[in-house]
């Protein structure tokens, strides 16, 4: 556990009786004279008036099991996570939240390259191509995960910013967990039964059909674990636990590498070994996240009794999650179209696209990590109606994303042939070189597009996310299809940067059209029961905080 961050200083020597207000996550403290009508237990030598037991409470009274200290409205104010969302300087907050996420995703991307090495080096080109053919299934699984994970996590962060009671957030997290596991199980059953025809639909044939079929079966088998893992990881990040999110990713990566060596290099299981290693790794990461949340978070509930189908929960979750689902489905159809178009040029071309996309994932995942790490920050500030903090966070995130993308893309472009040669032969290098250049240029535009998408998701703006997702689809599919028809391999390859450039422009238009970084006005302030008599005193003692 990292060292707690500095929190605002506390005053001692005066009894503080807080008056809670519903408009902000923070609360006002009104200084009142001690109530001399109540009998107080004598303080021990280690107690101040702030820490002495109240009204005869036992000296060693402990919080209820599973619950730590609570802040206003019953929401945990752990300085290690909430301070980053609420009060920390923007650059510090973004780096603290985004860098662990970016590193975790980059580690995953690097693992994908390493996994390609094991499959390609100890297996065959057909097995390496199977990892590319299987991408649509992976996309489908992650689409389901995004529906519940991203939708619920942004809702939880906004509720934290609004100062909602912990039991309200319990309903959100329990809904996310059990919905993800239930739908994941259904997807696994249906997918496992239909794996053979799905393999054919994805374009696999000849020598690559059997390896792809095996890989697809194993991915569907592990769908509940993959969906549950991603959903829990999103809930961990929703409270600002960025390092713990990264630790879970590292756990999965280490487990996968161990079993890759065992299953592929030692036991010679080939693509089947890769599938089993991925399944076990997702299970290990899911267990880590579940145990962490149950031990550390007051706002997480694994209790089935907290599960609710309340429309007030389903609607905002689906509003954001559905856009993520459609975006993932777009990626699935794009991968299907790409596989079928690239297959006409041979398995070498399919393998080259798969490998280049894995290399391209390194800068993309770093930028995505920085922006996704910022989603809880945007959502919390949006819920707290802190427009200035939102604006500064978005500006800083854009600069960081572009700089990070350029820092990775430039050396990859310079040493692209050497990187490709590590995995494949000369045929793969010559084919993959142009693909890698095109995808790296696309990543530059993607670095900015991710910022727009992250903001829309954090603010619960499902409409703009949906329009941006559909816009990308309407741009990309014709560009890829007609590019291949008119210009062949080059047209297919350069459809990627063409589409991403237009998507970046579309994101800017939607951002400006929906009010930019503006937040809704603060709700009318509501005094807690019994505090009416002190309202004038509160107003005089401390000015109202502006939204």
């Amino acid at each position: 556990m990292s060292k707690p961050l500095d929190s605002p200083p506390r005053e001692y020597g005066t009894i503080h009786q807080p008056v809670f207000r519903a408009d902000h996550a923070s609360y006002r403290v009104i200084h009142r004279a001690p109530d001399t009508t109540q009998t107080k237990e004598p303080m021990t030598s280690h107690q101040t008036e702030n820490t002495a037991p109240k009204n005869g409470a036992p000296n060693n009274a402990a919080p209820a099991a599973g619950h730590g200290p609570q802040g206003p409205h019953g929401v945990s104010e752990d300085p290690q996570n909430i301070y980053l969302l609420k009060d920390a300087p923007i650059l510090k907050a973004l780096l603290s939240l985004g860098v662990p996420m970016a590193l975790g995703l980059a580690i995953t991307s690097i693992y994908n390259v390493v996994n390609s090495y094991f499959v390609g080096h100890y297996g065959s080109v057909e097995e390496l191509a199977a990892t590319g053919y299987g991408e649509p299934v992976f996309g489908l699984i992650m689409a389901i995960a995004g529906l519940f994970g991203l939708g619920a996590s942004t809702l939880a962060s906004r509720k934290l910013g609004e100062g909602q009671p912990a039991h309200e957030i319990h309903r959100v997290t329990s809904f996310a967990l059990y919905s993800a596991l239930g739908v994941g199980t259904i997807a696994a059953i249906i997918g496992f039964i239909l794996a053979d025809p799905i393999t054919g639909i994805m374009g696999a044939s000849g020598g690559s059909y059997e390896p792809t079929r095996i890989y697809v079966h194993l991915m569907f088998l592990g769908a509940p674990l993959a969906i549950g893992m991603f959903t829990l990881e999103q809930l961990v990040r929703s409270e600002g636990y960025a390092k713990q999110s990264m630790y879970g990713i590292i756990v999965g990566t280490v487990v996968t590498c161990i079993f890759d060596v065992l299953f592929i290099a030692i036991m010679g299981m080939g693509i089947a070994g890769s599938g089993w290693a991925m399944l076990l790794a997702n299970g290990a990461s899911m267990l880590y996240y579940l145990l962490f949340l149950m031990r550390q978070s007051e706002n997480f509930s694994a209790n089935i009794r907290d599960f609710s189908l309340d429309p007030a929960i389903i609607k905002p979750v689906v509003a954001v999650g559905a856009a993520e689902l459609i975006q993932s489905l777009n990626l699935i159809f794009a991968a299907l179209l790409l596989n079928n178009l690239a297959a006409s040029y041979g398995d070498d071309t399919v393998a080259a696209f798969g490998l280049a996309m894995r290399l391209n994932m390194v800068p993309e995942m770093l930028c995505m990590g920085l922006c996704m790490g910022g989603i809880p920050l945007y959502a919390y500030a949006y819920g707290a109606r802190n427009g200035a903090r939102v604006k500064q966070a978005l500006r800083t995130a854009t600069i960081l994303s572009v700089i990070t993308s350029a820092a990775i893309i430039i050396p990859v472009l310079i040493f692209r042939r050497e990187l490709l040669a590590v995995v494949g032969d000369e045929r793969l290098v010559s084919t993959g070189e142009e693909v890698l250049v095109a995808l790296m240029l696309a990543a530059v535009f993607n670095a900015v597009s991710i910022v727009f998408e992250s903001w829309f998701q954090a603010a619960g703006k499902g409409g703009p996310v949906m329009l941006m997702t559909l816009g990308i689809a309407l741009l990309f599919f014709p560009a890829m299809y007609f590019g291949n028809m008119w210009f062949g391999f080059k047209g297919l390859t350069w459809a990627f940067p063409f589409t991403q450039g237009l998507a970046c422009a579309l994101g800017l238009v939607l951002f400006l059209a929906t009010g930019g970084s503006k937040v809704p006005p603060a709700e009318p302030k509501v005094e807690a029961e019994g505090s009416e008599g002190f309202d004038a005193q509160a107003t005089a003692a401390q000015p109202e905080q502006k939204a």
Side-chain angles (χ1 to χ4, degrees):
M1 181 76 61
S2 58
K3 182 180 178 181
L5 297 169
D6 294 333
S7 56
R10 301 177 181 176
E11 296 179 53
Y12 293 93
T14 304
I15 295 179
H16 290 202
Q17 297 183 5
V19 174
F20 301 133
R21 300 178 182 267
D23 65 308
H24 198 273
S26 61
Y27 64 100
R28 174 170 303 164
V29 178
I30 298 176
H31 294 239
R32 299 180 181 173
D35 188 354
T36 57
T37 63
Q38 296 180 355
T39 302
K40 296 166 55 178
E41 295 289 335
M43 293 183 293
T44 68
S45 60
H46 298 289
Q47 291 174 332
T48 67
E49 290 189 51
N50 276 345
T51 59
K54 304 287 191 293
N55 301 329
N59 288 338
N60 296 323
H67 297 275
Q70 290 189 339
H73 311 284
V75 177
S76 172
E77 292 288 321
D78 185 348
Q80 292 178 303
N81 56 330
I82 300 300
Y83 168 71
L84 290 174
L85 303 179
K86 180 180 176 183
D87 297 315
I90 292 297
L91 182 59
K92 177 180 180 180
L94 280 173
L95 292 177
S96 298
L97 295 168
V99 169
M101 184 67 187
L103 290 176
L105 292 176
I107 290 170
T108 302
S109 301
I110 293 171
Y111 157 72
N112 287 331
V113 177
V114 174
N115 182 64
S116 297
Y117 166 78
F118 276 103
V119 174
H121 184 76
Y122 292 98
S124 62
V125 174
E126 289 76 16
E127 288 184 314
L128 184 59
T131 62
Y133 284 122
E135 285 297 326
V137 172
F138 177 77
L140 174 63
I141 293 171
M142 298 314 295
I144 299 172
L147 174 64
F148 299 107
L150 190 59
S153 65
T154 54
L155 177 60
S157 291
R158 291 196 299 273
K159 285 184 175 291
L160 279 171
E162 293 167 359
Q164 292 285 329
H167 68 81
E168 285 293 326
I169 306 177
H170 288 170
R171 300 167 68 221
V172 176
T173 56
S174 182
F175 169 80
L177 174 62
Y178 289 106
S179 297
L181 292 177
V183 175
T185 301
I186 294 172
I189 296 172
I190 296 175
F192 198 82
I193 294 173
L194 301 178
D196 285 358
I198 290 175
T199 300
I201 293 174
M202 289 188 300
S205 61
S208 61
Y209 179 85
E210 185 60 22
T212 304
R213 189 185 70 84
I214 294 172
Y215 195 53
V216 167
H217 273 92
L218 290 173
M219 281 195 289
F220 275 123
L221 184 64
L225 296 177
I227 295 171
M229 180 274 295
F230 182 81
T231 300
L232 290 174
E233 188 266 339
Q234 295 288 304
L235 293 177
V236 167
R237 289 196 307 105
S238 72
E239 296 188 53
Y241 288 114
K243 290 183 179 179
Q244 287 73 18
S245 170
M246 179 185 69
Y247 296 156
I249 294 174
I250 293 175
V251 167
T253 302
V254 171
V255 170
T256 315
C257 289
I258 292 173
F259 284 106
D260 266 355
V261 173
L262 176 63
F263 292 155
I264 302 175
I266 298 177
M267 300 177 63
M269 294 174 62
I271 192 67
S274 176
W276 279 110
M278 179 173 59
L279 187 152
L280 294 173
N282 286 333
S285 294
M286 178 181 170
L287 180 62
Y288 169 82
Y289 291 132
L290 182 61
L291 293 177
F292 173 79
L293 286 169
M294 293 178 70
R295 289 197 307 262
Q296 299 294 330
S297 174
E298 293 179 354
N299 302 305
F300 173 78
S301 173
N303 191 333
I304 190 64
R305 289 179 294 182
D306 289 322
F307 178 83
S308 173
L309 294 177
D310 186 347
I313 296 174
I314 297 176
K315 184 177 179 180
V317 169
V318 172
V320 173
E324 182 71 10
L325 174 63
I326 292 177
Q327 184 176 32
S328 298
L329 291 176
N330 282 343
L331 294 176
I332 293 171
F333 289 118
L336 284 171
L337 182 58
L338 177 62
N339 285 344
N340 282 276
L341 293 177
S344 63
Y345 300 100
D347 284 341
D348 286 340
T349 301
V350 176
F353 267 103
L355 179 58
M357 293 178 77
R358 282 171 172 76
L359 289 170
N360 185 57
M361 282 176 66
V362 176
E364 280 200 6
M365 290 298 106
L366 283 172
C367 295
M368 187 177 295
L370 288 172
C371 296
M372 289 180 65
I375 287 179
L377 174 64
Y378 314 147
Y380 190 99
Y382 184 86
R385 307 301 190 255
N386 192 339
R389 188 167 177 83
V390 168
K391 184 176 181 179
Q392 187 180 359
L394 291 175
R395 184 190 306 117
T396 306
T398 302
I399 296 172
L400 285 176
S401 185
V402 172
I403 292 176
T404 302
S405 179
I408 301 297
I409 289 171
I410 293 173
V412 169
L413 289 177
I414 294 174
F415 299 104
R416 58 186 181 274
R417 292 188 63 87
E418 289 78 6
L419 289 171
L420 292 168
V422 171
V423 177
D425 54 20
E426 183 59 32
R427 292 180 303 166
L428 188 65
V429 172
S430 60
T431 304
E433 185 176 6
E434 185 170 0
V435 176
L436 186 58
V437 171
L439 292 184
M440 286 294 165
L441 292 179
V444 176
F445 297 108
N446 190 52
V448 180
S449 298
I450 292 174
V451 179
F452 293 131
E453 292 181 10
S454 299
W455 162 241
F456 296 147
Q457 292 165 348
K461 298 181 178 182
V465 182
M466 189 73 71
L467 289 174
M468 193 169 180
T469 299
L470 294 175
I472 292 174
L474 293 175
L475 291 169
F476 183 64
F477 291 122
M480 188 162 52
Y481 182 79
F482 290 109
N484 180 72
M485 179 187 296
W486 294 336
F487 305 106
F489 175 75
K490 287 184 178 293
L492 179 63
T493 301
W494 289 94
F496 287 87
F498 172 77
T499 303
Q500 284 296 341
L502 293 179
C504 183
L506 176 61
L508 178 60
V509 171
L510 290 172
F511 177 75
L512 296 175
T514 55
S517 59
K518 292 181 180 178
V519 301
E523 298 176 359
K525 301 185 184 303
V526 179
E527 296 287 354
E529 183 178 357
S531 64
E532 294 82 1
F534 298 96
D535 186 67
Q537 181 182 357
T539 304
Q542 182 172 339
E544 293 290 337
Q545 182 176 357
K546 295 182 180 180

